[in-house]
Amino acid sequence: MLARLPSLSAQTLRSLSARLFAFMMIGVLAACDLAIPSTGGGTGQQIDPGAPINVALLVPGGSGSAELDAIAASLENSARMAIADLNGVQVNLRVYNTGRDPARAAQLATGAVAEGAQIILGPLDAASANAVGTAVAPANLNVLAFSNNASIAGGNVFVLGNTFGNVSDRLVDYATRQGVTRYMIVHQDDLPGAVGRDAIASSVRAAGSTVVGIESYPFNQQGIFNRASAIASSVNANNAQAVFVTDSVAGGLPILATALDDQGLNPATSPFVGLTRWDAAPQIAELPAVQNGIFAMGNAGREAAFRNRYETTYGTQPHQLASIAYDGIAAIGALAATGDRGALTSASLTRSAGFRGATGVFRLRPDGTNQRALAVARIANNQISIVEAAPTSFGSGGS
């Protein structure tokens, strides 16, 4: 059992949700920038196994935004913590503040190459990652970006963020084994919602199950209330066994859950499945509509260990994206420790066994996306519990 949650009224949650509509989490913004085709495709630098590895860390600081500066600091702290954990591998880390400016990111990445960088870690958002990949491809460098936008993955760009497709694959796999074959997809009418919708549909069809309907709503409070009756009716009319929602707890999910409950949605017969992490605001578990619902998260034990270690080291909590920087350094260090001159090449980065990261094992795929081992969590009786633990390795190869 993860937590015993405080009691909150539906009215309180409505008020909280309305305030949260004023912004979206940076993690979502980083994950869902406009899809931009990736170009370039170097195979990666050769290294001297006896020499330090030069890593250029591109973070979103320097734009004047206190929030982006805080994220940048958290990413850098996490990367340095990972370096301290390496055994027998030396890393020279140079940090470059790109803001969220693709042109600046590309310029700084080109400068990093001139200064001897052998691999790029970062930047944060998809457009910048794509620009950086293009800029450094002629120099034969790989890019481990913090984005989780699969549309810019490929060539010399690998995304470290947990992709929507990875989450939906995991949840559909679990739900299928519980007998769920009929899914209703409900998404907010914006880019993250559209990307999430398509990822869910792909996972459902790949599992041999059925998308019985797709419903959307405007990304605002009144829009959700206006659409709630039609969405609930569609769920019931199509005998949906699960309602797969794309929205987040920092967006419209609390309002959607409240509105669908008001329209009589039965979570016992049509439970929610969540594409985003609901434990980011655990008060959501008080809502009747999310009872019996499931979502995915990392290895809870490793997440807690990372968070505690970070807090002990730096005296503050890590940003939710900080662990991705740790993972990038962990992968680089694990490969360099093999003594292979090709440690930073695409062939090495995509080894099937993967790597041990801050929140569990993960591996990079040849198409530039990633697979992360995820746990499945369920809400019941206003509590969040793990119903299926995250795998600790990939198949027989382990990690």
Side-chain angles (χ1 to χ4, degrees):
M1 199 70 67
L2 294 183
R4 177 65 179 146
L5 301 170
S7 178
L8 291 175
S9 68
Q11 182 176 359
T12 299
L13 281 162
R14 278 194 177 104
S15 175
L16 173 65
S17 302
R19 293 197 303 272
L20 286 171
F21 253 113
F23 62 94
M24 288 289 286
M25 289 184 296
I26 288 294
V28 175
L29 291 173
C32 301
D33 283 317
L34 290 173
I36 302 173
S38 179
T39 59
T43 60
Q45 290 280 303
Q46 297 287 311
I47 66 167
D48 177 354
I53 296 176
N54 297 321
V55 178
L57 175 65
L58 275 57
V59 295
S63 68
S65 164
E67 185 172 20
L68 290 178
D69 285 346
I71 295 172
S74 199
L75 289 167
E76 180 181 349
N77 287 344
S78 182
R80 295 195 183 281
M81 193 168 78
I83 291 172
D85 288 345
L86 298 180
N87 185 17
V89 175
Q90 291 184 306
V91 170
N92 287 334
L93 188 73
R94 289 191 176 184
V95 182
Y96 302 83
N97 285 293
T98 67
R100 297 191 72 204
D101 181 344
R104 177 170 172 77
Q107 180 183 34
L108 289 173
T110 301
V113 171
E115 293 170 353
Q118 295 167 294
I119 193 166
I120 306 290
L121 182 57
L124 176 63
D125 63 276
S128 295
N130 187 76
V132 167
T134 301
V136 304
N140 200 31
L141 264 71
N142 282 318
V143 177
L144 306 182
F146 298 136
S147 174
N148 69 352
N149 190 331
S151 69
I152 56 95
N156 63 332
V157 177
F158 297 85
V159 294
L160 289 173
N162 194 13
T163 66
F164 285 163
N166 186 58
V167 174
S168 59
D169 283 350
R170 175 67 166 112
L171 292 171
V172 169
D173 173 73
Y174 175 82
T176 298
R177 288 184 279 114
Q178 313 310 308
V180 176
T181 61
R182 298 175 60 82
Y183 295 82
M184 175 69 65
I185 301 174
V186 178
H187 67 95
Q188 72 273 24
D189 189 14
D190 63 3
L191 182 62
V195 174
R197 173 201 64 205
D198 294 344
I200 294 166
S202 178
S203 297
V204 169
R205 289 162 183 155
S209 295
T210 303
V211 176
V212 297
I214 298 175
E215 297 288 342
S216 65
Y217 53 86
F219 191 53
N220 58 71
Q221 182 171 329
Q222 191 57 50
I224 292 175
F225 290 142
N226 290 343
R227 290 283 297 136
S229 176
I231 292 172
S233 295
S234 182
V235 170
N236 294 328
N238 287 284
N239 297 314
Q241 295 173 285
V243 180
F244 213 138
V245 295
T246 63
D247 218 334
S248 70
V249 294
L253 181 60
I255 295 175
L256 177 67
T258 301
L260 291 181
D261 178 59
D262 290 344
Q263 295 298 324
L265 183 75
N266 186 350
T269 57
S270 302
F272 276 15
V273 178
L275 190 62
T276 60
R277 284 190 64 156
W278 295 346
D279 59 324
Q283 300 92 335
I284 194 76
E286 288 290 329
L287 292 178
V290 302
Q291 303 305 309
N292 205 36
I294 61 171
F295 64 97
M297 58 186 295
N299 182 305
R302 292 186 69 86
E303 285 188 352
F306 169 78
R307 185 169 56 252
N308 292 338
R309 167 87 184 285
Y310 187 102
E311 291 176 1
T312 299
T313 303
Y314 298 110
T316 186
Q317 292 185 349
H319 187 271
Q320 60 180 344
L321 297 176
S323 63
I324 304 176
Y326 185 102
D327 289 354
I329 294 294
I332 293 167
L335 292 173
T338 65
D340 182 4
R341 293 184 61 84
L344 302 184
T345 63
S346 299
S348 294
L349 289 169
T350 56
R351 69 179 191 179
S352 61
F355 311 96
R356 290 193 180 277
T359 63
V361 296
F362 70 99
R363 60 183 172 188
L364 300 172
R365 291 171 161 164
D367 65 0
T369 62
N370 68 75
Q371 181 182 9
R372 289 182 173 272
L374 300 173
V376 177
R378 181 173 178 265
I379 292 179
N381 300 318
N382 299 345
Q383 296 184 4
I384 300 173
S385 62
I386 300 296
V387 293
E388 190 165 274
T392 58
S393 65
F394 293 108
S396 59
S399 175

